[in-house]
């Protein structure tokens, strides 16, 4: 618990930061609840107990959890098909609470089991593509609300078509467009010009004042209306036959929440000279979700924007979140009608502004410039969300990340090494094609563990090198990057050694790690592989070859004579 050792000198700053934070918690909580297909009030219920749960169990001093724009579409995609068209809102709340409970159990269990590494299942390029697709999906889905009408559509393409049809049918409400677009512009401008001032709060206050002064409700603008007074009872949520579908959604939500939380927590931990504990973060997120589930809430995640606001306002500890939760409670008890004149298009503007912060177009352009394969992964993840939907999109993103890891292990970077005049050591001949070489000696580096998936790749590359004209007498494997050899690869090495020996070429190893050599001995491979063909360093292997052959370093006949090893990294 981060409240141990609390100093009273921090209290004033935490209270001020908590009140500033509340100005974001209320409108964003309501907006993200509606994004998830739930009543706006549930966003406030969710904020209260999730802040309390993380304050007790979370490790970070300043991280702020709550309803999040990236989870809203995933929650909606999970629960809305279960309640059907014109479903009961109360049933939707029950399912969302059960979804939060399952998500909390998954994340807390993962933290207790020390499975923090699962947050790495989304690589940066695939995460970027997923978030870009999510941003577009949220943006298009909120446009009808911004323009004052509603549509019945599912999926990005259907929602875009429905919005265009609504415009062509004249469903637009002019006053709604005006208040929504102006609020969106105000939020975006203040984020850029005055980032320390909560633009969302300013937009909400201005819109409420305009709605009251201009009677926008009488001009077709939908208003939030009176919020329920008081609180729902604390109780365990219930779901009957929907749990399997909820578990599937909870797994995706937990992965996105953990990835976002751990990446955000690492940034703020570095700022405050703290160590990141991914497993404790999982437990903290789990506690926050469990707390929300008891209070008619829905799954939550970390908010980078709200955390930044709390930090800028001087937050020292999680007391900031407790103050925010307490302020929400007081508002619901004392002034539930405070936001009754808030126009619904303003909530759409809040969500759209958040969706724009999810997109990373500059990062996508950088991927195009730096590494085309990762750019294509990002685009594929984007298309998965845009064309298949939010939940299938996260499955596509995870699958692409795993396939990318497998691709790199299956076909790792491979090269031959040579001596470059004026430079110590041996160097990549793909980068230095004029490097000197010893006649009859080929030094081959394979930058990956040797296991069943890439054993054939290794064998084919060595065979390729053995077919050079004239064939090499020694092929020395620069084995320092080879961190493991499994039984499949061991059998391959034994067969390959016999094949090369029959052709007059010796397979030699240099810089093999002690742990890997121990495995080869356990496989009874040292013996079939000549023990004298293992050297502690490349220099030792080279000198042994020179003593045996009498060869000396010679430059290649021409730069074109260097035969590149296929399979270079892309």
């Amino acid at each position: 618990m981060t409240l141990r050792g609390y100093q009273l000198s921090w209290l004033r700053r935490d209270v001020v930061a908590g009140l500033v934070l509340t100005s974001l918690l209320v409108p964003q909580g309501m907006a993200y609840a509606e994004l998830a297909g739930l009543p706006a009030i549930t966003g406030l219920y969710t904020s209260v107990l999730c802040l309390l749960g993380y304050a007790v169990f979370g490790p970070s001093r300043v991280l702020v959890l709550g309803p999040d724009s990236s989870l809203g579409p995933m929650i909606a995609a999970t629960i809305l098909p279960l309640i059907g068209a014109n479903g009961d809102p109360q049933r939707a709340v029950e399912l969302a609470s059960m979804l939060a409970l399952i998500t909390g159990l998954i994340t807390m269990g993962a933290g207790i089991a020390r499975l923090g590494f699962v947050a790495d299942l989304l690589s940066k390029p695939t995460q970027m593509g997923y978030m870009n697709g999510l941003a577009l999906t949220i943006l298009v889905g909120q446009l009808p609300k911004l323009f004052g009408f509603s549509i019945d559509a599912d999926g990005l393409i259907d929602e875009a078509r429905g919005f265009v049809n609504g415009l062509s049918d004249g469903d637009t409400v002019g006053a709604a467009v005006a208040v929504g677009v102006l609020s969106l512009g105000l939020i975006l401008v203040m984020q850029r010009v005055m980032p320390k001032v909560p633009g969302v709060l300013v937009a909400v206050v201005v819109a409420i004042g305009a709605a009251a002064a201009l009677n926008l409700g009488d001009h077709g603008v939908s208003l939030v209306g009176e919020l329920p007074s008081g609180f729902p009872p604390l109780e365990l949520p219930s779901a009957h036959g929907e749990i399997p579908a909820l578990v599937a959604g909870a797994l995706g939500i937990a992965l996105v929440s953990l990835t976002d939380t751990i990446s955000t927590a690492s940034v703020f931990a570095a700022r405050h000279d703290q160590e990141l504990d991914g497993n404790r973060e999982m437990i903290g997120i789990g506690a926050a979700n469990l707390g929300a589930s008891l209070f008619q809430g829905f799954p939550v995640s970390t908010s980078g924007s709200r955390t930044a606001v709390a930090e800028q306002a001087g937050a020292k500890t999680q007391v900031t979140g407790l103050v925010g939760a307490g302020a929400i409670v007081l508002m619901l008890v004392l002034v539930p009608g405070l936001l009754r004149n808030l126009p619904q298009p303003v909530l759409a503007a809040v969500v759209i502004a958040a969706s724009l912060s999810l997109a990373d177009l500059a990062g996508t352009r950088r991927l195009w410039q730096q590494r085309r394969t990762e750019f294509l992964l990002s685009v594929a993840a984007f298309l998965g969300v845009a064309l298949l939907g939010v939940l299938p999109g996260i499955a596509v993103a995870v699958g692409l990340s795993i396939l990318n890891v497998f691709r790199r292990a299956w076909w790792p970077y491979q090269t031959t090494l040579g001596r470059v005049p004026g430079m110590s050591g041996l160097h990549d001949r793909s980068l230095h094609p004029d490097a000197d070489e010893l006649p009859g000696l080929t030094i081959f580096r394979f930058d990956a563990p040797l296991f069943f998936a890439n054993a054939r790749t290794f064998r084919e590359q060595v065979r390729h090198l053995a077919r050079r004209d004239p064939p090499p007498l020694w092929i020395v494997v620069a084995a320092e990057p080879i961190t493991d050899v499994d039984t499949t690869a061991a059998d391959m090495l034994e067969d390959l050694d016999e094949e090369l020996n029959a052709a007059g070429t010796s397979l030699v190893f240099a810089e093999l790690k002690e742990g890997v050599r121990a495995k080869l001995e356990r496989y009874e491979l040292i013996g079939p592989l000549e023990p004298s063909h293992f050297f502690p360093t490349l220099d030792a292997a080279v000198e042994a070859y020179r003593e045996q052959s009498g060869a000396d370093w010679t430059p290649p006949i021409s730069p074109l004579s260097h035969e590149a090893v296929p399979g270079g990294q892309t």
Side-chain angles (χ1 to χ4, degrees):
M1 180 176 178
T2 60
L3 301 183
R4 293 193 183 100
Y6 189 81
Q7 300 178 21
L8 287 178
S9 59
W10 296 343
L11 183 60
R12 184 185 65 83
R13 299 183 69 178
D14 279 339
V15 170
V16 172
L19 294 176
V20 172
L21 180 62
T22 305
S23 67
L24 281 181
L25 291 173
V26 172
Q28 286 188 345
M30 296 170 65
Y32 298 159
E34 294 194 345
L35 177 62
L38 300 166
I41 187 64
T42 60
L44 304 185
Y45 297 156
T46 299
S47 299
V48 172
L49 281 197
C50 87
L51 290 170
L52 177 60
Y54 188 82
V56 174
F57 293 97
S60 173
R61 288 184 176 273
V62 297
L63 215 60
V64 177
L65 269 66
D68 188 67
S69 59
S70 64
L71 299 188
M74 301 180 72
I75 297 168
T78 302
I79 66 173
L80 294 185
L82 300 179
I83 63 173
N86 302 316
D88 179 11
Q90 186 55 41
R91 184 59 183 156
V93 171
E94 292 174 358
L95 291 173
S97 297
M98 178 58 76
L99 185 63
L101 177 64
I102 297 171
T103 301
L105 292 175
I106 290 172
T107 52
M108 185 170 278
I112 294 172
R114 306 188 69 80
L115 300 178
F117 65 88
V118 300
D120 298 329
L121 288 179
L122 276 179
S123 68
K124 185 67 174 180
T126 50
Q127 184 180 0
M128 192 181 299
Y130 174 79
M131 287 298 179
N132 287 341
L134 194 61
L136 181 60
T137 300
I138 294 173
L139 174 63
V140 172
Q142 292 296 304
L143 285 177
K145 187 175 177 181
L146 188 73
F147 279 66
F149 61 91
S150 62
I151 60 173
D152 184 13
D154 183 26
L156 176 65
I157 295 176
D158 284 346
E159 289 177 340
R161 185 182 298 114
F163 173 65
V164 173
N165 291 338
L167 292 180
S168 61
D169 293 341
D171 295 337
T172 301
V173 177
V177 175
V179 70
V181 171
L182 289 175
S183 297
L184 177 60
L186 182 59
I187 294 171
L188 296 178
V189 168
M190 293 198 68
Q191 285 177 348
R192 179 173 293 273
V193 178
M194 304 175 65
K196 292 188 177 182
V197 177
V200 170
L201 174 62
V202 175
V204 166
V205 171
V206 170
I208 290 175
L214 303 175
N215 295 319
L216 293 182
D218 296 335
H219 292 82
V221 178
S222 178
L223 305 177
V224 168
E226 192 90 11
L227 295 178
S229 178
F231 308 98
L234 286 173
E235 59 184 5
L236 281 172
S238 62
H240 304 296
E242 298 92 346
I243 288 183
L246 293 176
V247 169
L251 287 171
I253 290 169
L255 178 59
V256 172
S257 177
L258 289 173
T259 302
D260 187 31
T261 296
I262 290 178
S263 62
T264 303
S266 64
V267 172
F268 285 94
R271 291 183 185 178
H272 295 271
D273 295 324
Q274 297 176 345
E275 291 293 330
L276 174 67
D277 188 335
N279 295 307
R280 286 187 63 199
E281 287 294 353
M282 284 183 161
I283 294 173
I285 301 167
N289 277 286
L290 291 178
S293 73
L294 302 177
F295 210 46
Q296 292 193 4
F298 49 85
V300 298
S301 180
T302 299
S303 169
S305 62
R306 290 192 289 271
T307 302
V309 166
E311 183 187 48
Q312 290 171 358
K316 302 294 291 183
T317 69
Q318 286 295 327
V319 169
T320 295
L322 296 179
V323 171
I328 294 174
V329 168
L330 291 176
M331 187 196 77
L332 291 174
V333 171
L334 302 178
V335 283
L338 182 64
L339 301 174
R340 63 177 177 271
N341 287 324
L342 177 60
Q344 289 283 357
V346 176
L347 294 182
V350 171
V351 173
I352 290 174
S355 74
L356 295 177
S357 68
L358 295 178
D360 189 356
L361 300 182
T364 305
R365 285 196 302 270
R366 189 165 58 251
L367 286 178
W368 169 260
Q369 295 165 355
Q370 296 176 349
R371 193 155 185 169
R372 298 292 171 85
T373 53
E374 295 197 346
F375 170 79
L376 293 176
L377 283 174
S378 180
V379 171
F382 168 82
L383 293 176
V385 178
L387 300 180
L388 301 180
V390 175
L391 289 179
I394 189 65
V396 168
V398 171
L400 288 173
S401 292
I402 294 174
L403 285 175
N404 191 35
V405 171
F406 186 78
R407 178 188 69 86
R408 294 185 182 187
W410 171 61
W411 198 262
Y413 186 73
Q414 306 147 62
T415 189
T416 57
L417 305 179
R419 190 182 70 169
V420 179
M423 297 175 65
S424 61
L426 298 171
H427 300 276
D428 189 337
R429 296 187 69 230
S430 297
L431 302 176
H432 302 279
D434 292 325
D436 296 344
E437 56 185 353
L438 280 169
L441 175 68
T442 296
I443 303 173
F444 173 57
R445 195 181 74 202
F446 188 83
D447 289 358
L450 262 177
F451 67 116
F452 68 92
N454 62 22
R456 185 179 65 83
T457 300
F458 179 92
R459 181 188 64 204
E460 293 306 314
Q461 298 311 317
V462 172
R463 284 176 172 173
H464 173 79
L465 294 171
R467 289 194 294 267
R468 297 177 68 181
D469 187 20
L473 298 176
W474 279 20
I475 295 178
V476 176
V477 178
E480 194 274 336
I482 299 177
T483 56
D484 192 18
V485 176
D486 72 358
T487 56
T488 302
D491 291 341
M492 177 274 297
L493 289 176
E494 184 174 5
D495 294 340
L496 180 62
D497 184 60
E498 291 180 1
E499 177 185 326
L500 293 176
N501 287 339
T505 298
S506 296
L507 186 63
V508 179
F509 294 86
E511 298 183 342
L512 191 68
K513 295 180 183 299
E514 288 298 324
V516 179
R517 181 176 177 124
K519 289 183 179 180
L520 297 186
E521 292 174 347
R522 191 162 62 248
Y523 301 153
E524 298 182 349
L525 195 58
I526 308 294
L529 296 181
E530 174 58 46
S532 64
H533 285 172
F534 288 82
F535 295 90
T537 66
L538 278 173
D539 287 342
V542 169
E543 286 307 310
Y545 175 77
R546 291 182 66 187
E547 290 178 6
Q548 176 179 312
S549 66
D552 201 1
W553 291 101
T554 60
I557 297 172
S558 72
L560 297 179
S561 68
H562 168 57
E563 187 173 8
V565 177
Q569 193 166 355
T570 56

